[in-house]
Amino acid sequence: MMMKAAYLLLFVSGTAFAADDQSLLKCRTISDQMARLACYDALPAAAPVQAAPAAPVAHAAPAAYVAAAAPAAAVAARTAEQDFGLEAKKMKEPEPAPQAIESAIVGTVQGWGPRTQFKLANGQVWKVIDGSEATLTPMTNPKVKVVRNYFGTLFMEIEGTNHSPKVRRVQ
């Protein structure tokens, strides 16, 4: 039983020994630890077993992201401000994320409710995710600031109001 465990351990570790059972049994009978270790070390070893290289994992992406994918050179030229809010979706070297961005909402804003989406002048789209609601005096192209708090939560500060809905970037 002990021998089977030793062979299993050798197989799992990726090293195969060319030593015969007799040599292994001889080493097992040595009581001095250092001498026993030297005996095992002296056994001839076969070439390590090479594992087949793993196939790259392909992650499925929604069709909207695949269709909107930009060439690699264009992605590399993007600024940290353009990527604000998308940090978790990208697999690249981490850059210090900005703590806030400023832009303006395109069009007239009369308020928001749960799941309302705001398109900004910089092309970003942000969605209200906290279930908050607000009715505002209609404003055209109000300036906004999306800020990250201490815990990483994003809030949209809209000029002319003291309400700040919790938001997540969707585009």
Side-chain angles (χ1 to χ4, degrees):
M1 172 104 168
M2 183 79 120
M3 217 39 176
K4 288 180 183 177
Y7 283 130
L8 179 62
L9 179 63
L10 292 174
F11 177 75
V12 171
S13 69
T15 306
F17 284 94
D20 59 11
D21 290 341
Q22 202 66 336
S23 300
L24 289 171
L25 290 173
K26 177 185 160 211
C27 291
R28 266 182 78 190
T29 61
I30 301 172
S31 61
D32 180 52
Q33 291 179 355
M34 294 307 290
R36 186 173 51 245
L37 180 60
C39 179
Y40 282 125
D41 285 345
L43 293 175
V49 176
Q50 296 293 324
V57 177
H59 297 285
Y65 291 122
V66 174
V75 172
R78 295 173 66 108
T79 66
E81 185 173 302
Q82 290 171 326
D83 289 340
F84 183 79
L86 292 177
E87 292 86 7
K89 294 182 181 181
K90 303 237 185 251
M91 300 290 279
K92 62 180 185 178
E93 289 294 320
E95 294 178 15
Q99 293 302 304
I101 62 157
E102 294 184 22
S103 189
I105 297 175
V106 177
T108 302
V109 177
Q110 297 180 355
W112 67 84
R115 297 184 300 277
T116 299
Q117 292 189 4
F118 295 107
K119 179 159 177 82
L120 303 185
N122 63 7
Q124 298 175 355
V125 178
W126 293 82
K127 179 179 180 180
V128 175
I129 60 170
D130 64 356
S132 66
E133 296 181 9
T135 303
L136 307 172
T137 305
M139 298 180 282
T140 304
N141 301 324
K143 292 182 181 180
V144 296
K145 185 175 185 180
V146 180
V147 296
R148 183 185 317 271
N149 73 2
Y150 181 75
F151 300 107
T153 306
L154 300 167
F155 291 92
M156 181 178 285
E157 298 174 354
I158 302 172
E159 184 180 65
T161 180
N162 60 355
H163 299 287
S164 298
K166 182 177 172 182
V167 294
R168 177 176 296 132
R169 184 168 171 193
V170 293
Q171 186 178 8

